[in-house]
Amino acid sequence: MDTKSLVDSVAKKLNRDPKDISALLNGMTTVIKERLCEMNTVAIPGFGEFEPIKHEEEIQPDLSTGKLMLLPPAITVEFHPSSLLKRKLTEAQ
């Protein structure tokens, strides 16, 4: 589902103007990004939580050349679905 489809679906479900939903969605994603950049976990009840994970720098061999290379530190985000979402997905199968 692309952004326009998401906005249209939510607007229809809530009987709201798609422009309002788009602004709300943009604001929500901005806040989530800010919190994750501050290394805070973001939980959305009934959906799941986004957890930032910091990876330290490490040395790994390059698979194509065999030479060692230094991988810089990185931050990734893991998503952990809520038990409610897991149950709904299982029931949908």
Side-chain angles (χ1 to χ4, degrees):
M1 175 179 278
D2 63 1
T3 305
K4 183 179 179 347
S5 298
L6 177 63
V7 168
D8 290 343
S9 294
V10 173
K12 184 176 179 182
K13 187 152 192 98
L14 298 177
N15 197 25
R16 300 286 178 125
D17 185 2
K19 290 180 183 179
D20 294 339
I21 300 300
S22 182
L24 177 68
L25 189 60
N26 287 336
M28 189 172 118
T29 56
T30 299
V31 169
I32 290 172
K33 286 187 271 188
E34 288 171 356
R35 297 301 178 262
L36 291 172
C37 288
E38 295 167 356
M39 298 303 292
N40 293 318
T41 298
V42 177
I44 301 172
F47 184 69
E49 71 180 24
F50 298 91
E51 179 184 10
I53 307 290
K54 185 173 183 176
H55 302 278
E56 300 298 329
E57 68 182 14
E58 60 181 302
I59 298 174
Q60 283 191 345
D62 183 338
L63 297 176
S64 61
T65 64
K67 293 182 181 180
L68 294 179
M69 48 189 245
L70 179 64
L71 297 178
I75 297 174
T76 59
V77 177
E78 289 184 1
F79 175 71
H80 306 281
S82 70
S83 56
L84 176 64
L85 178 58
K86 286 181 187 178
R87 188 171 56 243
K88 291 284 186 182
L89 291 172
T90 303
E91 292 171 0
Q93 292 180 356

